[in-house]
C-alpha cells in the first residue's frame, strides 16, 4: 500500500495510476503503463481523425456533386450535338446552325 506522490491518496498495490488525480504511480512507471496524458493525446488524435474524416467526406461529396453537374452538362452538350431538325426531322445534325436538308434555323 502506497500513497500518491502528488495528492497523497492511498493507492492499491496494483494501481498504476492514482484514482483521484491520475498521476502515474511508481508501480505504473515500473510496469511501463501508458501515462494518462498519452491516452488524452490518443483520444484527441482520434477526435481529430474523425474531424478530418468528416472534412474528407464532405469534400468527396462536393466532388461528387461537381462531377454529377459536369456529367449533366456533358449530357446537355451531347443532346445539342445530336440535335434533330424540328421541321424535316433530319437527325444527327451536330452543332449545325441550319438544317442541311431544309435550311431551317436550328436553336
Ligand atoms: Zn493522486
Ligand atoms: Zn430540316
Amino acid at each position: 500500500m502506497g500513497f500518491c506522490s502528488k495528492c497523497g491518496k492511498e493507492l492499491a498495490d496494483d494501481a498504476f495510476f492514482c484514482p483521484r488525480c491520475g498521476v502515474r504511480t511508481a508501480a505504473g512507471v515500473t510496469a511501463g503503463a501508458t501515462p494518462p496524458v498519452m491516452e488524452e493525446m490518443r483520444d484527441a488524435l482520434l477526435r481529430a481523425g474523425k474531424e478530418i474524416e468528416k472534412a474528407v467526406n464532405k469534400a468527396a461529396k462536393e466532388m461528387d456533386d461537381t462531377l454529377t453537374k459536369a456529367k449533366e452538362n456533358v449530357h446537355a452538350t451531347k443532346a445539342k450535338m445530336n440535335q434533330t431538325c424540328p421541321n424535316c426531322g433530319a437527325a444527327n445534325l451536330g452543332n449545325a446552325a441550319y438544317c442541311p436538308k431544309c435550311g431551317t434555323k436550328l436553336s
Side-chain angles (χ1 to χ4, degrees), residues 4-5 7 17 28 30 32-34 43 52 58 60 66 75 97 102 106:
C4 174
S5 60
C7 71
F17 299 99
T30 306
T34 312
D43 284 353
I52 290 165
K58 191 168 176 284
T66 308
H75 280 309
C102 72
L106 306 168

Side-chain angles (χ1 to χ4, degrees), residues 11-24:
L11 300 172
D13 285 337
D14 59 351
F16 289 166
F17 299 99
C18 170
R20 184 191 283 168
C21 73
V23 81
R24 189 158 59 155

Side-chain angles (χ1 to χ4, degrees), residues 58-102:
K58 191 168 176 284
K61 200 192 169 307
E62 275 164 16
M63 288 260 288
D64 255 15
D65 288 351
T66 308
L67 268 176
T68 305
K69 280 201 188 88
K71 276 185 197 154
E72 278 165 9
N73 282 341
V74 167
H75 280 309
T77 308
K78 271 192 184 153
K80 196 172 178 350
M81 291 296 282
N82 291 324
Q83 63 184 331
T84 302
C85 174
N87 183 47
C88 71
N92 298 319
L93 300 180
N95 58 358
Y98 293 90
C99 172
K101 296 276 167 58
C102 72

Side-chain angles (χ1 to χ4, degrees), residues 29-44:
V29 173
T30 306
T34 312
V37 66
M38 290 299 284
E39 297 284 336
E40 277 165 28
M41 264 174 66
R42 204 188 56 189
D43 284 353

